[in-house]
Amino acid sequence: MNVHAAALAKAHRFDDRTSAFAHDVLEGLSQQPRRLSPKYFYDVAGSELFEQITLLPEYYPTRTELGILRDRGAEIANIVPAGAALVEFGAGSTTKVRLLLDQCNFGAYVPVDISGDFLNAQARALRCDFPALGVYPVTADFTAPFALPAAVKAMPKVGFFPGSTLGNFEPFEACGFLRSAREILGEGAQMIIGVDLEKDERVLYDAYNDAAGVTARFNLNVLVRINQELGGNFDLKAFTHRAIYNRERHRIEMHLISRKAQTMRVLGRSFSFRAGESIHTESSYKYSVGRFVALARGSGWKPTASWTDTGGMFSVHALVASE
Ligand code: AVI
Protein backbone atom coordinates (compact mmCIF):
# COMPACT_ATOMS: atom_id res chain seq x y z
CA MET A 1 0.00 0.00 0.00
CA ASN A 2 1.36 3.47 -0.77
CA VAL A 3 1.97 5.88 2.09
CA HIS A 4 -0.96 8.07 1.16
CA ALA A 5 -3.45 5.19 1.08
CA ALA A 6 -2.03 3.75 4.31
CA ALA A 7 -2.46 7.06 6.13
CA LEU A 8 -5.98 7.49 4.79
CA ALA A 9 -6.88 3.91 5.66
CA LYS A 10 -5.76 4.61 9.21
CA ALA A 11 -7.68 7.87 9.36
CA HIS A 12 -10.83 6.26 7.95
CA ARG A 13 -10.53 3.09 10.08
CA PHE A 14 -10.80 0.92 6.98
CA ASP A 15 -10.78 -2.85 7.29
CA ASP A 16 -8.11 -4.70 5.29
CA ARG A 17 -10.38 -5.26 2.32
CA THR A 18 -11.39 -1.60 2.01
CA SER A 19 -7.74 -0.58 2.40
CA ALA A 20 -6.79 -2.81 -0.52
CA PHE A 21 -9.64 -1.31 -2.57
CA ALA A 22 -8.47 2.22 -1.64
CA HIS A 23 -4.90 1.39 -2.58
CA ASP A 24 -5.83 -0.15 -5.94
CA VAL A 25 -8.23 2.68 -6.85
CA LEU A 26 -5.68 5.42 -6.09
CA GLU A 27 -2.99 3.55 -8.00
CA GLY A 28 -5.23 2.61 -10.95
CA LEU A 29 -6.62 6.11 -11.40
CA SER A 30 -3.08 7.53 -11.33
CA GLN A 31 -1.92 5.32 -14.22
CA GLN A 32 -2.03 6.24 -17.90
CA PRO A 33 -4.20 4.76 -19.32
CA ARG A 34 -6.26 4.73 -16.13
CA ARG A 35 -7.53 1.35 -14.97
CA LEU A 36 -9.58 -0.34 -12.28
CA SER A 37 -9.56 -4.07 -11.58
CA PRO A 38 -12.73 -5.97 -12.62
CA LYS A 39 -12.66 -7.73 -9.25
CA TYR A 40 -14.15 -4.55 -7.77
CA PHE A 41 -17.40 -4.95 -9.73
CA TYR A 42 -18.63 -7.62 -7.34
CA ASP A 43 -20.16 -6.12 -4.21
CA VAL A 44 -23.74 -7.24 -3.44
CA ALA A 45 -25.27 -4.86 -6.03
CA GLY A 46 -22.62 -5.75 -8.65
CA SER A 47 -23.10 -9.49 -8.11
CA GLU A 48 -26.85 -9.05 -8.58
CA LEU A 49 -26.26 -7.07 -11.78
CA PHE A 50 -23.96 -9.84 -13.01
CA GLU A 51 -26.68 -12.43 -12.32
CA GLN A 52 -29.02 -10.28 -14.45
CA ILE A 53 -26.39 -10.16 -17.22
CA THR A 54 -26.26 -13.97 -17.31
CA LEU A 55 -29.98 -14.01 -18.20
CA LEU A 56 -29.81 -11.38 -20.97
CA PRO A 57 -30.69 -12.54 -24.49
CA GLU A 58 -27.43 -11.05 -25.84
CA TYR A 59 -25.19 -12.66 -23.17
CA TYR A 60 -24.76 -16.17 -24.60
CA PRO A 61 -21.88 -17.55 -22.39
CA THR A 62 -23.86 -18.71 -19.34
CA ARG A 63 -26.65 -20.58 -21.10
CA THR A 64 -24.24 -22.02 -23.68
CA GLU A 65 -21.88 -23.38 -21.02
CA LEU A 66 -24.82 -24.81 -19.07
CA GLY A 67 -25.94 -26.58 -22.27
CA ILE A 68 -22.46 -28.11 -22.74
CA LEU A 69 -22.29 -29.26 -19.10
CA ARG A 70 -25.75 -30.82 -19.42
CA ASP A 71 -25.19 -32.47 -22.81
CA ARG A 72 -21.68 -33.73 -21.98
CA GLY A 73 -22.38 -34.69 -18.38
CA ALA A 74 -22.09 -38.43 -19.08
CA GLU A 75 -18.68 -37.95 -20.74
CA ILE A 76 -17.48 -35.76 -17.87
CA ALA A 77 -18.72 -38.41 -15.39
CA ASN A 78 -16.64 -41.03 -17.25
CA ILE A 79 -13.45 -39.02 -16.80
CA VAL A 80 -13.94 -38.03 -13.16
CA PRO A 81 -12.82 -40.61 -10.51
CA ALA A 82 -15.66 -41.79 -8.24
CA GLY A 83 -15.59 -40.17 -4.81
CA ALA A 84 -13.39 -37.26 -5.91
CA ALA A 85 -13.52 -33.84 -4.24
CA LEU A 86 -14.80 -31.11 -6.55
CA VAL A 87 -12.98 -27.83 -5.79
CA GLU A 88 -14.69 -24.79 -7.31
CA PHE A 89 -12.56 -21.66 -7.72
CA GLY A 90 -14.95 -18.78 -6.99
CA ALA A 91 -18.56 -19.39 -6.07
CA GLY A 92 -21.44 -17.59 -7.71
CA SER A 93 -24.73 -19.17 -8.58
CA THR A 94 -24.73 -22.95 -7.92
CA THR A 95 -26.59 -23.83 -11.15
CA LYS A 96 -23.49 -25.13 -12.95
CA VAL A 97 -22.04 -27.09 -10.07
CA ARG A 98 -25.43 -28.70 -9.42
CA LEU A 99 -25.34 -30.05 -12.98
CA LEU A 100 -21.99 -31.72 -12.26
CA LEU A 101 -23.06 -32.98 -8.84
CA ASP A 102 -26.22 -34.48 -10.37
CA GLN A 103 -24.36 -36.28 -13.12
CA CYS A 104 -21.05 -37.32 -11.51
CA ASN A 105 -20.28 -39.27 -8.37
CA PHE A 106 -18.39 -36.71 -6.23
CA GLY A 107 -17.54 -37.44 -2.59
CA ALA A 108 -17.11 -33.80 -1.53
CA TYR A 109 -17.57 -30.25 -2.75
CA VAL A 110 -15.15 -27.46 -1.78
CA PRO A 111 -16.30 -23.99 -2.92
CA VAL A 112 -13.56 -21.36 -2.52
CA ASP A 113 -14.39 -17.68 -2.45
CA ILE A 114 -13.39 -14.45 -0.75
CA SER A 115 -17.00 -13.75 0.32
CA GLY A 116 -17.53 -16.04 3.33
CA ASP A 117 -21.17 -15.13 4.04
CA PHE A 118 -22.31 -15.87 0.51
CA LEU A 119 -20.29 -19.08 0.46
CA ASN A 120 -21.81 -20.37 3.69
CA ALA A 121 -25.37 -19.64 2.50
CA GLN A 122 -24.69 -21.58 -0.73
CA ALA A 123 -23.12 -24.44 1.26
CA ARG A 124 -26.21 -24.75 3.50
CA ALA A 125 -28.50 -25.03 0.46
CA LEU A 126 -26.27 -27.68 -1.17
CA ARG A 127 -26.08 -29.76 2.04
CA CYS A 128 -29.90 -29.89 2.06
CA ASP A 129 -30.14 -30.98 -1.56
CA PHE A 130 -27.15 -33.40 -1.53
CA PRO A 131 -27.22 -34.90 1.98
CA ALA A 132 -24.57 -37.56 1.21
CA LEU A 133 -22.07 -34.95 -0.06
CA GLY A 134 -19.43 -33.46 2.25
CA VAL A 135 -19.51 -29.67 1.66
CA TYR A 136 -16.44 -27.81 2.96
CA PRO A 137 -16.40 -24.09 2.04
CA VAL A 138 -13.03 -22.29 2.13
CA THR A 139 -13.00 -18.50 2.52
CA ALA A 140 -9.93 -17.42 0.56
CA ASP A 141 -8.72 -15.46 -2.44
CA PHE A 142 -8.59 -18.31 -4.95
CA THR A 143 -5.91 -16.60 -7.06
CA ALA A 144 -3.39 -17.06 -4.20
CA PRO A 145 -2.25 -20.33 -2.57
CA PHE A 146 -4.66 -21.75 0.05
CA ALA A 147 -4.89 -25.07 1.92
CA LEU A 148 -7.57 -27.64 1.11
CA PRO A 149 -9.67 -28.89 4.07
CA ALA A 150 -8.16 -31.93 5.84
CA ALA A 151 -11.36 -33.91 5.14
CA VAL A 152 -10.62 -34.01 1.38
CA LYS A 153 -6.83 -34.48 1.52
CA ALA A 154 -6.99 -38.21 0.71
CA MET A 155 -9.58 -37.88 -2.09
CA PRO A 156 -8.76 -37.45 -5.78
CA LYS A 157 -9.22 -33.77 -6.72
CA VAL A 158 -11.11 -32.17 -9.59
CA GLY A 159 -10.91 -28.39 -10.00
CA PHE A 160 -13.85 -26.51 -11.49
CA PHE A 161 -13.49 -23.02 -12.99
CA PRO A 162 -16.57 -22.26 -15.10
CA GLY A 163 -17.95 -19.07 -16.66
CA SER A 164 -14.80 -18.07 -18.58
CA THR A 165 -13.63 -16.15 -15.52
CA LEU A 166 -10.17 -17.12 -16.80
CA GLY A 167 -10.85 -14.65 -19.63
CA ASN A 168 -10.86 -11.76 -17.15
CA PHE A 169 -7.20 -12.48 -16.37
CA GLU A 170 -4.35 -11.11 -18.48
CA PRO A 171 -2.72 -14.08 -20.27
CA PHE A 172 0.24 -14.09 -17.83
CA GLU A 173 -2.22 -14.07 -14.91
CA ALA A 174 -4.22 -16.91 -16.52
CA CYS A 175 -1.00 -18.94 -16.71
CA GLY A 176 -0.20 -18.05 -13.07
CA PHE A 177 -3.68 -19.09 -11.94
CA LEU A 178 -3.50 -22.44 -13.76
CA ARG A 179 -0.08 -23.15 -12.23
CA SER A 180 -1.29 -22.21 -8.75
CA ALA A 181 -4.44 -24.37 -9.14
CA ARG A 182 -2.20 -27.29 -10.09
CA GLU A 183 -0.10 -26.76 -6.94
CA ILE A 184 -3.18 -26.54 -4.72
CA LEU A 185 -4.94 -29.58 -6.23
CA GLY A 186 -1.76 -31.67 -6.38
CA GLU A 187 -0.41 -34.61 -8.39
CA GLY A 188 -2.94 -36.49 -10.52
CA ALA A 189 -5.60 -33.77 -10.20
CA GLN A 190 -8.03 -32.93 -12.96
CA MET A 191 -9.65 -29.67 -13.93
CA ILE A 192 -12.91 -28.80 -15.71
CA ILE A 193 -12.74 -25.26 -17.08
CA GLY A 194 -15.10 -23.12 -19.17
CA VAL A 195 -13.56 -20.78 -21.76
CA ASP A 196 -15.35 -18.35 -24.08
CA LEU A 197 -14.44 -18.59 -27.76
CA GLU A 198 -13.58 -16.03 -30.43
CA LYS A 199 -16.50 -15.42 -32.75
CA ASP A 200 -18.29 -12.93 -34.95
CA GLU A 201 -17.44 -9.50 -33.58
CA ARG A 202 -21.05 -8.32 -33.75
CA VAL A 203 -22.13 -11.14 -31.41
CA LEU A 204 -19.35 -10.22 -28.97
CA TYR A 205 -20.17 -6.52 -29.20
CA ASP A 206 -23.87 -7.11 -28.47
CA ALA A 207 -23.10 -9.40 -25.52
CA TYR A 208 -21.30 -6.51 -23.77
CA ASN A 209 -23.58 -3.71 -25.01
CA ASP A 210 -27.00 -5.13 -24.16
CA ALA A 211 -30.09 -3.19 -25.19
CA ALA A 212 -31.45 -3.06 -21.63
CA GLY A 213 -28.27 -1.34 -20.35
CA VAL A 214 -27.57 -3.86 -17.58
CA THR A 215 -23.88 -4.19 -18.53
CA ALA A 216 -23.58 -0.40 -18.47
CA ARG A 217 -24.98 -0.34 -14.91
CA PHE A 218 -22.62 -3.19 -13.94
CA ASN A 219 -19.66 -1.22 -15.29
CA LEU A 220 -20.72 2.03 -13.60
CA ASN A 221 -21.22 0.16 -10.31
CA VAL A 222 -17.48 0.40 -9.65
CA LEU A 223 -17.86 4.20 -9.47
CA VAL A 224 -20.87 3.75 -7.14
CA ARG A 225 -18.62 1.67 -4.87
CA ILE A 226 -15.86 4.30 -4.96
CA ASN A 227 -18.41 6.96 -3.97
CA GLN A 228 -19.96 4.85 -1.21
CA GLU A 229 -16.90 3.17 0.26
CA LEU A 230 -14.09 5.63 -0.41
CA GLY A 231 -15.98 8.92 -0.23
CA GLY A 232 -15.53 9.60 -3.96
CA ASN A 233 -17.59 12.23 -5.78
CA PHE A 234 -17.92 10.64 -9.24
CA ASP A 235 -20.94 11.98 -11.12
CA LEU A 236 -22.37 8.82 -12.69
CA LYS A 237 -24.09 10.78 -15.44
CA ALA A 238 -20.75 12.25 -16.49
CA PHE A 239 -19.31 8.81 -17.41
CA THR A 240 -20.54 6.44 -20.07
CA HIS A 241 -20.11 2.70 -20.61
CA ARG A 242 -18.11 1.58 -23.66
CA ALA A 243 -17.32 -2.01 -24.65
CA ILE A 244 -15.27 -2.71 -27.78
CA TYR A 245 -13.62 -5.78 -29.29
CA ASN A 246 -9.84 -5.48 -29.57
CA ARG A 247 -9.11 -7.91 -32.43
CA GLU A 248 -5.29 -7.86 -32.12
CA ARG A 249 -5.48 -8.84 -28.45
CA HIS A 250 -8.52 -11.14 -28.78
CA ARG A 251 -10.41 -9.36 -26.02
CA ILE A 252 -13.49 -7.36 -25.22
CA GLU A 253 -12.46 -4.22 -23.35
CA MET A 254 -14.85 -2.40 -21.06
CA HIS A 255 -14.21 1.25 -20.41
CA LEU A 256 -15.85 4.13 -18.56
CA ILE A 257 -15.53 7.24 -20.70
CA SER A 258 -15.57 10.74 -19.25
CA ARG A 259 -18.25 12.70 -21.11
CA LYS A 260 -16.53 16.04 -20.41
CA ALA A 261 -13.44 17.60 -18.86
CA GLN A 262 -13.90 17.16 -15.12
CA THR A 263 -12.01 16.71 -11.85
CA MET A 264 -13.10 14.04 -9.39
CA ARG A 265 -11.93 13.52 -5.83
CA VAL A 266 -11.27 10.22 -4.06
CA LEU A 267 -9.84 10.00 -0.54
CA GLY A 268 -8.52 13.53 -0.67
CA ARG A 269 -6.81 13.10 -4.06
CA SER A 270 -7.93 14.88 -7.26
CA PHE A 271 -8.09 13.17 -10.65
CA SER A 272 -8.60 15.35 -13.72
CA PHE A 273 -10.16 13.74 -16.79
CA ARG A 274 -10.15 15.07 -20.32
CA ALA A 275 -13.41 14.81 -22.31
CA GLY A 276 -13.36 11.33 -23.87
CA GLU A 277 -10.70 9.97 -21.49
CA SER A 278 -11.16 6.36 -20.46
CA ILE A 279 -10.87 4.22 -17.34
CA HIS A 280 -10.23 0.64 -18.51
CA THR A 281 -12.34 -1.50 -16.16
CA GLU A 282 -12.26 -5.02 -17.64
CA SER A 283 -10.75 -7.21 -20.32
CA SER A 284 -12.57 -10.37 -21.32
CA TYR A 285 -10.17 -12.49 -23.38
CA LYS A 286 -11.61 -14.84 -25.99
CA TYR A 287 -9.67 -17.97 -26.96
CA SER A 288 -9.66 -20.43 -29.83
CA VAL A 289 -9.63 -24.06 -28.66
CA GLY A 290 -6.03 -24.28 -29.92
CA ARG A 291 -4.82 -21.18 -28.10
CA PHE A 292 -6.43 -22.30 -24.83
CA VAL A 293 -4.96 -25.81 -25.15
CA ALA A 294 -1.51 -24.25 -25.69
CA LEU A 295 -1.97 -22.02 -22.63
CA ALA A 296 -2.99 -25.02 -20.50
CA ARG A 297 0.01 -27.08 -21.75
CA GLY A 298 2.36 -24.24 -20.87
CA SER A 299 0.83 -23.96 -17.39
CA GLY A 300 1.32 -27.51 -16.06
CA TRP A 301 -1.79 -29.23 -17.44
CA LYS A 302 -2.40 -31.81 -20.16
CA PRO A 303 -5.68 -31.26 -22.04
CA THR A 304 -7.67 -34.53 -22.30
CA ALA A 305 -10.98 -33.40 -23.82
CA SER A 306 -12.54 -30.23 -25.26
CA TRP A 307 -16.26 -29.83 -25.82
CA THR A 308 -18.03 -26.99 -27.65
CA ASP A 309 -21.66 -26.25 -28.47
CA THR A 310 -22.83 -26.80 -32.07
CA GLY A 311 -22.53 -23.05 -32.77
CA GLY A 312 -18.87 -23.00 -31.62
CA MET A 313 -19.62 -20.20 -29.15
CA PHE A 314 -18.15 -21.60 -25.91
CA SER A 315 -15.82 -24.38 -24.82
CA VAL A 316 -15.42 -26.63 -21.78
CA HIS A 317 -12.08 -28.42 -21.29
CA ALA A 318 -10.95 -31.35 -19.19
CA LEU A 319 -7.31 -31.15 -18.06
CA VAL A 320 -5.10 -33.46 -16.05
CA ALA A 321 -2.07 -32.26 -14.06
CA SER A 322 1.01 -33.07 -16.12
CA GLU A 323 4.00 -34.82 -14.47
C1 AVI B 1 -17.31 -12.93 -15.15
N1 AVI B 1 -16.87 -12.69 -16.54
C2 AVI B 1 -16.48 -13.94 -17.17
C3 AVI B 1 -17.78 -11.86 -17.34
C4 AVI B 1 -17.25 -11.71 -18.78
O1 AVI B 1 -18.01 -11.98 -19.70
O2 AVI B 1 -16.09 -11.35 -18.96
C5 AVI B 1 -17.98 -10.49 -16.73
C6 AVI B 1 -18.81 -9.59 -17.58
N2 AVI B 1 -18.46 -8.38 -17.93
C7 AVI B 1 -19.42 -7.86 -18.67
N3 AVI B 1 -20.37 -8.74 -18.84
C8 AVI B 1 -20.01 -9.85 -18.14
Side-chain angles (χ1 to χ4, degrees), residues 15-245:
D15 60 20
D16 286 353
R17 243 206 269 177
T18 314
S19 301
F21 182 36
H23 167 259
D24 290 353
V25 166
L26 293 181
E27 194 161 277
L29 291 179
S30 307
Q31 283 173 25
Q32 283 301 333
R34 301 182 204 268
R35 44 188 320 135
L36 292 170
S37 165
K39 71 181 174 192
Y40 294 120
F41 285 140
Y42 301 94
D43 64 347
V44 173
S47 302
E48 274 165 15
L49 285 166
F50 180 65
E51 284 308 311
Q52 287 179 35
I53 288 175
T54 64
L55 302 173
L56 290 167
E58 298 96 330
Y59 194 76
Y60 60 85
T62 310
R63 62 173 175 276
T64 312
E65 185 180 38
L66 276 167
I68 298 172
L69 292 174
R70 199 176 37 236
D71 296 348
R72 303 305 189 135
E75 287 169 61
I76 297 172
N78 271 337
I79 292 178
V80 167
L86 183 65
V87 180
E88 181 168 5
F89 295 89
S93 135
T94 55
T95 318
K96 289 172 196 165
V97 79
R98 280 169 184 272
L99 269 179
L100 286 189
L101 294 173
D102 277 337
Q103 299 179 92
C104 309
N105 181 11
F106 285 108
Y109 172 53
V110 182
V112 185
D113 200 86
I114 194 85
S115 165
D117 293 347
F118 184 69
L119 206 55
N120 291 326
Q122 301 282 44
R124 274 194 297 279
L126 280 170
R127 281 192 196 103
C128 271
D129 296 342
F130 298 88
L133 186 76
V135 181
Y136 307 101
V138 174
T139 305
D141 171 0
F142 65 79
T143 61
F146 61 88
L148 289 173
V152 307
K153 283 263 156 70
M155 298 176 174
K157 315 288 183 307
V158 179
F160 186 41
F161 197 41
S164 203
T165 304
L166 193 82
N168 295 132
F169 296 155
E170 291 300 316
F172 77 93
E173 293 170 329
C175 175
F177 166 78
L178 289 169
R179 285 189 180 284
S180 157
R182 190 195 173 291
E183 277 309 300
I184 290 161
L185 296 171
E187 285 301 311
Q190 300 196 19
M191 183 91 165
I192 308 287
I193 182 161
V195 180
D196 197 11
L197 295 175
E198 284 178 293
K199 57 184 63 65
D200 186 291
E201 288 181 24
R202 188 75 224 176
V203 176
L204 286 171
Y205 180 88
D206 289 348
Y208 292 83
N209 290 282
D210 62 285
V214 184
T215 311
R217 292 212 295 285
F218 175 71
N219 196 4
L220 282 160
N221 184 55
V222 71
L223 300 186
V224 176
R225 283 196 68 186
I226 293 173
N227 286 352
Q228 288 172 349
E229 296 173 42
L230 306 179
N233 69 345
F234 279 94
D235 173 4
L236 301 189
K237 291 187 293 304
F239 284 85
T240 188
H241 162 77
R242 181 179 295 161
I244 49 150
Y245 188 60

Side-chain angles (χ1 to χ4, degrees), residues 274-294:
R274 286 175 278 109
E277 192 172 351
S278 138
I279 308 173
H280 184 173
T281 51
E282 184 184 68
S283 293
S284 191
Y285 281 85
K286 308 302 170 189
Y287 288 86
S288 64
V289 168
R291 280 195 299 111
F292 174 73
V293 159

Side-chain angles (χ1 to χ4, degrees), residues 178-179 290-303 319 322:
L178 289 169
R179 285 189 180 284
R291 280 195 299 111
F292 174 73
V293 159
L295 170 71
R297 282 216 177 90
S299 312
W301 293 92
K302 187 166 141 272
L319 313 173
S322 48

